[in-house]
Amino acid sequence: MDFLKAFIIGGLICVVGQILIDKTKLTPARILVTFVVLGVFLQLIGLYAPLVDYAGAGATVPLTGFGYNLCKGVSKAVSEKGFMGIFTGGLTAAAAGISAALIFGFLVSIIFRSKPKK
C-alpha cells in the first residue's frame, strides 16, 4: 500500500508540472524553481510534513520534496546554531542529494558524449 500511495502522490505532483508545461508559457526552469519554492512554503505553513508522512518517497523525491528538505534543514539549524543556521542548514540537510547529483552527472558525462542539436 505504501508503494501505491507514493506512486499516486508523486504522480499527481508530476501531473501538475506537466499541466504547467503544456498550458502556460512558463519555461521548465521557472516551473522547477516554483516547485522548490512551493515545497519550502508548504513546509513553512506545516502542510508538507503530513504529506511526507503519508506518501513517503512520493512526496520527497519530486522537487517540492527538495524545498521541504531545505526548509526542514534551515529550521533545525536555526534552532541549534541561531542566525548562522540560516546559511548552513539547507546545505547540510541537502548535502547527500546534491553530492549524488554531482557525482552521477559527472559519471554520465564521462560515459556519454553530448551531441549538438540539429
Side-chain angles (χ1 to χ4, degrees), residues 87-110:
F87 304 106
T88 62
L91 290 175
T92 302
I98 294 170
S99 298
L102 289 171
I103 290 167
F104 290 123
F106 177 71
L107 291 175
V108 168
S109 73
I110 291 173

Side-chain angles (χ1 to χ4, degrees), residues 32-71:
L32 296 176
V33 170
T34 301
F35 271 38
V36 173
V37 172
L38 184 64
V40 170
F41 178 72
L42 290 174
Q43 174 60 17
L44 279 174
I45 62 174
L47 295 177
Y48 209 80
L51 185 64
V52 169
D53 293 339
Y54 176 76
T60 58
V61 171
L63 278 173
T64 50
F66 181 68
Y68 155 78
N69 194 25
L70 288 174
C71 185

Side-chain angles (χ1 to χ4, degrees), residues 27 63 74 83 105 115:
T27 63
L63 278 173
V74 168
F83 181 75
K115 296 176 183 156

